[in-house]
Amino acid sequence: MQIQTAHYDLVTTWRGSMASRTLCQSFSADNATPVMQSHVIDSDEPVSLGGEGLAPDPQELMLAAFNACMMAAFIQEARACGIALKHLEIHTDGHLPKGIPATGLQRRIPAGFSMSFTSAVTAQCISLKGSISG
């Protein structure tokens, strides 16, 4: 089943210092009845950036979400092709700018803002539909 649109309802609350907590309240696909959730995602900045380093920072969470999204796509494709995965790992090495000025909305992110990453995907699998060569 291919989902065309998804709706997420999340609330993020400041928890002091540079920490926050996000509650993922519900998810619905293609205008279906929302499924209530109670997933919690904590975030904090490292000590060097004014936080306490008690949780992943927002950039780590962004890269983790990227990896999880790629993982789901690989799994979905493998299933569609009749491939049973034995191992799948995605390693992302991200380079992201830190310390974007927070001196008001008049300031713009510098034109050189970019995100780069390198991902290595390794997998072990067996075919459920015949042999795989490669």
Side-chain angles (χ1 to χ4, degrees):
M1 179 177 96
Q2 188 74 19
I3 295 174
Q4 299 301 315
T5 60
H7 177 257
Y8 302 90
D9 182 16
L10 296 92
V11 175
T12 302
T13 305
W14 176 56
R15 303 200 28 105
S17 186
M18 297 292 285
S20 65
R21 173 166 284 170
T22 299
L23 174 61
C24 306
Q25 298 184 132
S26 68
F27 165 81
S28 61
D30 293 331
N31 296 317
T33 302
V35 175
M36 302 312 290
Q37 303 178 130
S38 58
H39 305 301
V40 174
I41 303 168
D42 287 329
S43 179
D44 194 5
E45 290 287 351
V47 174
S48 63
L49 292 176
E52 296 180 31
L54 298 176
D57 69 30
Q59 293 78 7
E60 290 170 309
L61 292 171
M62 183 177 69
L63 291 173
F66 177 79
N67 277 13
C69 188
M70 285 193 345
M71 182 74 69
F74 279 114
I75 293 166
Q76 185 175 1
E77 282 299 310
R79 286 179 179 169
C81 293
I83 298 170
L85 295 168
K86 292 291 189 184
H87 173 80
L88 180 59
E89 182 175 293
I90 301 171
H91 174 193
T92 299
D93 178 36
H95 298 270
L96 302 155
K98 297 291 270 182
I100 295 172
T103 57
L105 296 176
Q106 305 85 356
R107 304 256 344 233
R108 293 175 42 140
I109 295 172
F113 175 85
S114 67
M115 181 183 96
S116 63
F117 57 87
T118 303
S119 295
V121 179
T122 58
Q124 294 175 342
C125 52
I126 57 171
S127 174
L128 301 177
K129 293 184 176 179
S131 63
I132 297 176
S133 61

